[in-house]
């Protein structure tokens, strides 16, 4: 059974104590600040994206770094349109998801130290494990460890297309590295991948970012090597990249919860994950302080959007406080204790700050999901 | 015994699995990215600041939000020069520190919802608990709950001086609120506090920021009300504010670990808390990718400084990666697997991302400390 709705019991007194509200509790009675997921909106997003991939040759590989929550990943796989596995961004995440029922996990990252490579090989005894490479010395290290541990690793060559963070150059360098993988015992050459950055709302921009990857596929196949996987795209451009002939999988993940950064570009999806905070101070008309700050929402890359205030402007987030201006000219005057809804700018940063997600439907608590891979950056 | 060195045993398989290195392990063999504290540097910072407060009338109230770690807070109290208690920024933090041996805890924040006020009263049965107020309705709510629960809460009037985040205005509004606290059963008027923002390196700026608080103290005492506590200052200006006649306590905390934001202003302290990361990709000369990104270091308010590279510039932090330029003209060429040391811009944001701190002395692991109040923002 791929779909499993995980109801976390109160097993760890150190976490989230002292109050777990009973299932059925009205949302506004939950403590704040909390990460609250509207299950109807989440299921809308999952089925909408699954439907797209059902009708295209490229398939989805849900990238779970954006929520780190097995309960949500199981829903994504249950939705269809996927390759049968997930993508993660660290071995620590893979170590959480494999025992939670995921048996095809691609670590979309470089793994270079001996102890991390050992962990990768240990996982490969339990599930199909992929990893990215961008250097011949890393290929040699992975191969040696795979052989020593009697396992086989799927390996994808990480090609540097647009973003330029890392990866080998398209064309010849990628072909040479693919050959090195093919020749290395213990490694199975899976194909090639790229990452183009987080937001590519311009369709032509996405196509031109992907083209070097498609050209590289041809180069590698011309060298007599089969390329099974061509991975590219993300939530922001899944409709463009997922329809490009030659792309086989799209590691999108943010579409599940969505966030303030992506929502304007994807009006057919819903902001399913939001932080509920509380007004704690009202120093002046049109200005409020809430209990939702950086530690509950995240501010690494941008401020949250605010749902239920007229003309809101987030002035800033300190460690534990949000500072929000709003239009008080129509008499808006939220009292101490009233709830304010914030859509985080970056869902992944936000989810990583929470131990649990409170899943609600029709404004009542339906389940508490553990963010099991929170903090698993190693 | 105030001092206790906490050696956390491997009791929770979900956290930090799978590898806890043995005590004595050389630092560079610890997994990355890790928050590593040099105990010698930590003790230097603690004794240096304690010595200052020993010889001034104002005393220290260590603000533990900056590290969230009982092991460090116990060292701070063992160091001397303090009021006998700590400051926290949320009830969730107080709920961690009280059972860890702290019996005088000031929640330097507003607590307004019924469920949080209930938690505050429950704590007040176990320890001396203080809280801040900035509105008469909150005073009434706290009083009602304290009486109903048979406890007494210390209450400080939060005065808005310079930063303007929240708080009552100095002078008459503060006097009126102090009177309301004095008249409220179940509440003990402790005094007044302010927060002036995070960095005030200019001495005159600090003095002028504090002056309205000192004037307000006089106003309240002229109204016949004793003011026991006048709390102001932080790590950035502790030497100025802590020497001002009339200030009774300084809630400083960042001095313990220090961070890249404060270090330039406090050359007599050491950067004791740093993130060790690993080079995972070397796309070009003078450029590297590490495994230390936002999720391990934090980037809410600024980028980390880098210790062991020539002329380093942090280009950016993505979720799990650091992008760092450096001067390769002298032949610097870090290999895959080499360690890079990053001092976070904001120690508090960084500590909040880690479940454990690896405490090292003379480059060997001496203890593993739990960041027990990580994520306790509620």
């Amino acid at each position: 059974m791929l779909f499993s709705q995980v109801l976390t019991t109160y097993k760890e007194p150190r976490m989230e104590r002292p109050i777990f509200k009973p299932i059925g509790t009205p949302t506004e009675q939950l403590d704040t600040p909390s990460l609250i997921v509207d299950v109807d909106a989440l299921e809308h997003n999952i089925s909408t994206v699954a439907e797209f991939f059902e009708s295209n040759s490229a398939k989805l590989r849900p990238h779970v770094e954006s929520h780190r929550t097995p309960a949500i990943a199981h829903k994504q796989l249950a939705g269809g349109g996927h390759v049968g596995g997930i993508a993660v961004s660290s071995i620590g995440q893979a170590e959480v998801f494999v025992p939670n029922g995921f048996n095809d996990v691609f670590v979309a990252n470089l793994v270079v130290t001996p102890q991390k490579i050992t962990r990768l090989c240990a996982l490969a005894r339990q599930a199909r494990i992929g990893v990215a490479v961008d250097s011949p010395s890393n290929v040699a290290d992975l191969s040696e460890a795979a052989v020593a541990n009697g396992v086989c690793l799927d390996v994808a060559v990480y090609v540097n297309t647009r973003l330029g963070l890392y990866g080998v150059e398209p064309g010849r360098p990628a072909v040479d590295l693919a050959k090195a993988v093919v020749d290395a015992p213990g490694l199975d050459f899976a194909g090639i991948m790229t990452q183009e950055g987080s937001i590519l709302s311009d369709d032509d921009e996405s196509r031109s970012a992907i083209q070097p990857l498609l050209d590289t596929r041809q180069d590698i196949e011309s060298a007599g090597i089969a390329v099974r996987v061509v991975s590219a795209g993300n939530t922001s451009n899944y409709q463009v990249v997922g329809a490009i002939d030659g792309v086989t999988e799209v590691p999108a993940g943010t579409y599940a919860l969505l966030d303030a950064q992506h929502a304007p570009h994807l009006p057919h999806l819903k902001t399913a994950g939001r932080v509920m905070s509380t007004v704690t101070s009202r120093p002046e008309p049109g200005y409020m302080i809430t209990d939702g700050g950086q530690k509950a929402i995240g501010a690494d890359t941008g401020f949250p959007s605010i749902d239920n205030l007229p003309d809101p402007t987030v002035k800033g987030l300190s460690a534990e406080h949000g500072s929000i201006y709003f239009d008080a000219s129509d008499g808006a005057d939220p009292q101490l204790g009233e709830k304010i809804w914030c859509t985080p700018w970056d869902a992944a940063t936000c989810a990583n700050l929470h131990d649990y997600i409170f899943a609600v439907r029709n404004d009542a608590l339906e389940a508490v999901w553990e963010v099991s891979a929170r903090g698993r950056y190693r």
Side-chain angles (χ1 to χ4, degrees), chain A:
Chain A
M1 192 181 78
L2 283 177
F3 175 94
S4 80
Q5 186 170 338
V6 177
L7 175 61
T8 304
T9 52
Y10 183 44
K11 64 191 170 191
E12 288 179 309
R14 195 168 61 77
M15 311 293 287
E16 292 277 337
R17 69 186 160 193
I19 299 165
F20 261 19
K21 290 281 185 181
I23 300 304
T25 299
T27 305
E28 294 233 334
Q29 289 180 22
L30 299 173
D31 203 358
T32 63
S34 286
L35 176 52
I36 293 182
V37 167
D38 185 282
V39 184
D40 283 336
L42 175 71
E43 290 175 352
H44 166 84
N45 293 346
I46 289 173
S47 64
T48 301
V49 172
E51 202 172 314
F52 170 86
F53 284 103
E54 288 283 357
S55 56
N56 277 276
S57 60
K59 298 301 174 199
L60 177 69
R61 179 182 284 274
H63 200 314
V64 303
E65 192 266 338
S66 57
H67 52 70
R68 296 156 186 256
T69 305
I72 294 175
H74 280 300
K75 279 179 175 284
Q76 287 174 298
L77 289 193
H82 55 75
V83 296
I86 60 173
V88 299
S89 56
S90 71
I91 299 174
Q93 292 171 19
E95 287 169 341
V96 168
F97 278 86
V98 166
N100 272 291
F102 299 85
N103 48 28
D104 175 356
V105 177
F106 180 67
V107 181
N109 208 338
L110 305 171
V111 175
V112 307
T113 62
Q115 61 205 109
K116 283 198 169 71
I117 292 175
T118 300
R119 290 161 63 192
L120 200 65
C121 292
L123 279 176
R125 284 199 201 92
Q126 306 163 52
R128 180 172 189 165
I129 300 293
V131 67
V133 296
D134 77 349
S135 71
S137 69
N138 192 203
V139 170
D141 290 345
L142 290 169
S143 172
E144 187 183 344
V147 170
N149 285 278
V151 297
C152 183
L153 298 169
D154 273 5
V155 172
V157 167
Y158 199 120
V159 180
N160 186 350
T161 52
R162 171 184 179 271
L163 182 65
L165 192 60
Y166 52 92
V168 289
E169 292 302 301
R172 183 60 182 268
V175 175
D176 288 345
L177 196 57
K179 283 181 182 166
V181 175
V182 169
D183 292 343
L187 307 186
D188 187 12
F189 175 67
I192 53 179
M193 66 168 292
T194 193
Q195 285 181 353
E196 320 93 78
S198 56
I199 294 282
L200 280 173
S201 56
D202 182 276
D203 295 357
D204 291 336
E205 201 180 9
S206 281
R207 280 190 202 92
S208 66
I210 304 304
Q211 193 56 47
L213 192 72
L214 300 174
D215 296 344
T216 298
R217 175 189 194 143
Q218 283 205 322
D219 295 338
I220 295 175
E221 295 194 323
S222 298
I225 300 172
V227 178
R228 180 164 42 86
V229 173
V230 177
S231 170
N234 54 54
T235 287
S236 72
N237 63 4
Y238 79 91
Q239 292 161 299
V240 176
V241 176
I244 293 176
D245 194 39
V247 173
T248 69
E249 61 185 63
V250 177
T254 307
Y255 72 90
L257 298 183
L258 213 61
D259 57 26
Q261 186 181 187
H262 288 82
H265 310 293
L266 301 161
H268 58 295
L269 301 180
K270 300 178 181 180
T271 51
R274 296 183 300 163
V275 172
M276 184 173 78
S277 62
T278 296
V279 180
T280 58
S281 182
R282 285 296 319 282
E284 55 190 83
Y287 183 54
M288 64 167 53
I289 303 295
T290 73
D291 62 4
Q294 292 172 15
K295 298 290 186 293
I297 302 175
D300 277 340
T301 51
F303 287 148
S305 67
I306 307 296
D307 290 9
N308 56 337
L309 284 175
D311 195 19
T313 305
V314 176
K315 178 189 173 194
L317 299 178
S318 68
E320 274 91 5
H321 300 99
S323 307
I324 306 171
Y325 287 108
F326 58 95
D327 181 4
S329 64
D330 68 346
D333 184 21
Q335 302 298 299
L336 296 193
E338 284 192 24
K339 304 300 183 242
I340 302 297
W341 285 89
C342 312
T343 302
W345 180 254
D346 179 352
T349 298
C350 180
N352 189 52
L353 295 166
H354 292 263
D355 295 312
Y356 294 97
I357 284 173
F358 297 87
V360 305
R361 199 189 303 262
N362 299 326
D363 280 327
L365 184 63
E366 179 168 287
V368 180
W369 294 332
E370 185 173 350
V371 187
S372 309
R374 181 210 59 72
R376 303 302 308 262
Y377 37 76
R378 277 202 280 272

